[in-house]
């Protein structure tokens, strides 16, 4: 992922602080959300082109990651979902390791396999998926 563009921190104070702490400590601090491990997703804004960073639940399998656009069960996708749909080149920081990946939305049987992994990682995803009242996008991030 090309990160030459300026970085625009999240407007949410909790996310800004968590990203800063995670990156400053190579993921040894700020590495959980609701008691579960997180990764930092670096993505480019669909409209602005600016670099954005989001702390998301860590869902990893065989070197690929998944990100769930549940937005805590809200009726709208989180902003990062629109960004990675428009710009598939992303970066994940998982502890001290940084991976350049390509995002793709998954469907059908593959999607259901990843949903099962997501539920194992963070059981509330099932409730978020139901509460959202929409088709919650699930993206797989794969090595480039």
């Amino acid at each position: 992922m090309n990160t030459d563009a300026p970085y625009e921190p999240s407007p949410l104070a909790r996310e800004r602080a968590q990203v800063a702490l995670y990156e400053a400590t190579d993921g040894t601090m700020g590495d959980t959300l609701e008691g579960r491990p997180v990764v930092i997703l670096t993505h480019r804004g669909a409209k602005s082109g600016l670099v954005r960073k989001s702390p998301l639940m860590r869902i990893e399998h065989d070197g690929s990651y998944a990100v769930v656009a549940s937005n805590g069960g809200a009726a709208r996708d989180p902003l990062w979902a629109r960004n990675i749909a428009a710009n598939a080149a992303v970066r994940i920081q998982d502890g001290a390791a940084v991976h350049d990946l390509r995002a793709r939305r998954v469907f059908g049987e593959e999607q259901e396999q990843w949903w099962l992994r997501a539920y194992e990682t963070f059981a509330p995803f099932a409730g978020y998926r139901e509460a959202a009242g929409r088709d919650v996008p699930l993206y797989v991030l794969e090595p480039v």
Side-chain angles (χ1 to χ4, degrees):
M1 172 181 188
N2 181 351
T3 57
D4 291 341
Y7 169 51
E8 177 71 24
S10 172
L12 303 174
R14 181 197 59 79
E15 286 187 7
R16 275 194 315 272
Q18 185 168 18
V19 167
L21 182 60
Y22 193 106
E23 290 185 327
T25 64
D26 282 335
T28 61
M29 297 175 70
D31 58 338
T32 61
L33 181 61
E34 297 191 33
R36 300 286 194 254
V38 298
V39 295
I40 303 300
L41 172 68
T42 301
H43 48 102
R44 188 173 296 265
K47 291 181 183 176
S48 70
L50 298 173
V51 172
R52 307 284 187 165
K53 298 181 182 185
S54 305
L56 300 174
M57 292 290 177
R58 182 186 188 277
I59 306 166
E60 187 273 339
H61 179 75
D62 290 342
S64 293
Y65 293 80
V67 288
V68 175
S70 65
N71 204 12
R76 294 179 38 191
D77 291 348
L79 294 175
W80 63 257
R82 285 181 240 146
N83 292 345
I84 69 172
N87 301 299
V90 299
R91 179 170 287 158
I92 286 282
Q93 181 174 349
D94 187 356
V98 176
H99 308 281
D100 285 321
L101 305 165
R102 181 156 299 282
R104 66 180 175 86
R105 188 167 175 187
V106 293
F107 299 93
E109 185 178 320
E110 182 182 20
Q111 180 188 44
E112 289 309 313
Q113 289 173 343
W114 279 101
W115 271 117
L116 292 175
R117 292 178 185 124
Y119 299 155
E120 289 173 6
T121 300
F122 186 63
F125 276 139
Y128 294 170
R129 189 178 183 192
E130 186 176 325
R134 60 184 167 87
D135 181 26
V136 173
L138 191 147
Y139 293 86
V140 172
L141 315 178
E142 300 168 313
V144 178

